[in-house]
Amino acid sequence: MIKRDYYEVLGLERNAGDGEIKKAYRSLAMQYHPDRNPDHDAEERFKEASEAYEVLSDQSKRQIYDAYGHPGLE
């Protein structure tokens, strides 16, 4: 499976600040949380948003991701 760009997943620009990242993640988490959204695709979107937030909210992981993309995190 090809992973989408984490900034695209959260709907952010690459220069987004910590507050913008958190706000975007919370919005998507509320929208796609499996307990709130019965759609079969919602769980995957929720997991994808959570993974994106985990990387972009951590400054060291974000620097690695910005420099090397997904392969840098493996």
Side-chain angles (χ1 to χ4, degrees):
M1 182 175 139
I2 298 174
K3 291 186 177 187
R4 291 193 314 156
D5 179 66
Y6 289 148
Y7 292 98
E8 179 184 326
V9 170
L10 295 179
L12 298 169
E13 297 291 326
R14 290 206 172 266
N15 61 354
D18 292 338
E20 293 172 294
I21 292 169
K22 189 174 190 175
K23 184 177 178 180
Y25 168 69
R26 285 187 175 190
S27 174
L28 289 174
M30 293 293 286
Q31 182 179 354
Y32 292 116
H33 194 281
D35 290 342
R36 296 182 66 125
N37 189 336
D39 187 29
H40 70 284
D41 188 41
E43 184 176 357
E44 288 303 315
R45 303 270 320 243
F46 177 76
K47 288 178 183 178
E48 184 179 46
S50 296
E51 183 179 331
Y53 178 71
E54 179 184 339
V55 171
L56 297 182
S57 64
D58 182 318
Q59 287 300 323
S60 61
K61 288 181 183 180
R62 184 176 179 181
Q63 287 178 339
I64 293 169
Y65 178 73
D66 286 346
Y68 305 108
H70 291 289
L73 298 171
E74 294 176 358

